[in-house]
Amino acid sequence: MFDLSKSIVQRVYPSFLNNTSKKLFVKRDDLIDPLVSGNKWRKLKLNVECVREQKLSGIVTFGGAYSNHLLATASACAKSGLRSVGVVRGHELEARSNSLLEKCHALGMELCFVSREEYALRNEKSFIESFHMRFPNMHIVPEGGANYYGIIGCQSILLECGTVYDRVFVAQGTSTTSCGVASILSEKTVLQVIPVIKGYDSVKEMRMLYSMSGFDKEWTEEIMSNVRVMSDFHFGGYGRYTPELLDFMEQFYQETNIPLDPVYTGKAMFALMDYCRNNPQEEEHLLFIHTGGIEGGRNIAEKYQKKFC
């Protein structure tokens, strides 16, 4: 449905690599599709196939007001001829609250707005069962595609690269992408995860997602030994950013012609820059996974995005 061959591996030469012994490559998942960009289709692909194989009518999933996952699900379901339902955090919202929700609605997604208190229960068994009863014959996908199918789908990101890198950098929200990538890392490769949520316990969340998805505990611990967490680059919390971050993103765009977003990829690339500056002499091949997110970022930092997208 979506052409994954568009996701090239591109070598880039930003100025922060000057006077270092690093080579930087970017896996351009942001080029896959304007709406189902980045890692979103990776996490949805096998879920969509599950719906088709089980002859279900569509997908129910969850997200916030600026959720790229909601938009990706709406678009993927529309192209697949499937029904889509989005459970949105914020009972005060409506389809016209922002352009992302408007696009979801235009693509045929039924939007269900719930209070933040209700939304906090989204992973509780009783809450999920209530949506199974409300929307029978639908496949429920957790927020951000965080399930077994999402993890396995994200393995293809690294499989397509072919080369073994010394370090792989990826922004972290629900941990689905990082779990998928970590599960097929070479023993010689370190995965640097950059959580964009303040106070997010990356190791705990990754272990929990592996466990919920049926992965062996001993195998999980072996995988986690290659994961390093860079927890100081959330810039105040999810959806928050600073002039310093925006200035960095602007400079990076001017030097590489690659747009970043201030929610995920901008923060992760800033962390990568910091790593390079603190370890200039170590000769390494680095891979940055561009997970997309430009559409959601456009809503959160519209002024910035208008300049480059």
Side-chain angles (χ1 to χ4, degrees), residues 127-140:
F127 188 80
I128 294 173
E129 287 179 348
S130 70
F131 276 92
H132 270 303
M133 294 178 63
R134 184 174 175 183
F135 300 102
N137 203 40
M138 298 277 280
H139 177 54
I140 295 183

Side-chain angles (χ1 to χ4, degrees), residues 7 59 74 87 114 117 129 136 159 175 196 206 224 264 276 284 303:
S7 178
I59 289 175
V87 182
V114 300
E117 292 74 20
E129 287 179 348
L159 291 172
S175 296
V196 300
M206 289 180 71
M224 293 302 298
Y264 291 98
C276 291
E284 292 180 305
K303 182 178 180 181

Side-chain angles (χ1 to χ4, degrees), residues 39 169-175 177-178 192-196 261 263-269 288-289 291:
N39 54 352
F169 291 73
V170 65
Q172 190 175 60
T174 64
S175 296
T177 303
S178 47
Q192 306 273 169
V193 298
I194 302 92
V196 300
D261 80 283
V263 183
Y264 291 98
T265 55
K267 295 177 179 181
M269 186 61 77
F288 180 86
I289 299 176
T291 52

Side-chain angles (χ1 to χ4, degrees), residues 11-63:
R11 185 175 178 184
V12 295
Y13 304 85
S15 59
F16 64 75
L17 290 184
N18 295 345
N19 302 315
T20 75
S21 300
K22 314 290 189 191
K23 293 180 180 179
L24 176 58
F25 301 83
V26 180
K27 177 63 167 152
R28 297 292 308 275
D29 263 20
D30 59 306
L31 299 178
I32 292 174
D33 184 81
L35 300 183
V36 192
S37 70
N39 54 352
K40 306 304 178 290
W41 178 236
R42 310 278 186 182
K43 294 189 285 187
L44 284 170
K45 182 176 184 292
L46 296 182
N47 281 290
V48 169
E49 290 183 9
C50 174
V51 170
R52 287 172 165 170
E53 289 176 4
Q54 297 184 23
K55 294 181 170 38
L56 301 175
S57 57
I59 289 175
V60 177
T61 195
F62 309 84

Side-chain angles (χ1 to χ4, degrees), residues 39-40 43 64 66-69 89 143-144 170-175 177 194-197 233-235 237-241 245 248-249 260-271 288-294 296-297 300 305:
N39 54 352
K40 306 304 178 290
K43 294 189 285 187
Y66 301 103
S67 169
N68 289 293
H69 170 68
R89 182 180 63 248
E143 181 182 40
V170 65
Q172 190 175 60
T174 64
S175 296
T177 303
I194 302 92
V196 300
I197 303 169
F233 298 93
H234 51 73
F235 286 85
Y238 183 78
R240 296 188 179 184
Y241 52 90
L245 177 61
F248 166 75
M249 292 164 58
L260 303 171
D261 80 283
V263 183
Y264 291 98
T265 55
K267 295 177 179 181
M269 186 61 77
F270 193 98
F288 180 86
I289 299 176
H290 195 315
T291 52
I294 301 301
I300 293 176
Q305 294 296 342

Side-chain angles (χ1 to χ4, degrees), residues 133-180:
M133 294 178 63
R134 184 174 175 183
F135 300 102
N137 203 40
M138 298 277 280
H139 177 54
I140 295 183
V141 176
E143 181 182 40
N147 61 6
Y148 172 82
Y149 298 115
I151 291 174
I152 300 304
C154 286
Q155 290 180 337
S156 61
I157 298 174
L158 211 55
L159 291 172
E160 291 170 7
C161 295
T163 302
V164 175
Y165 297 89
D166 296 295
R167 293 179 187 273
V168 177
F169 291 73
V170 65
Q172 190 175 60
T174 64
S175 296
T176 313
T177 303
S178 47
C179 281

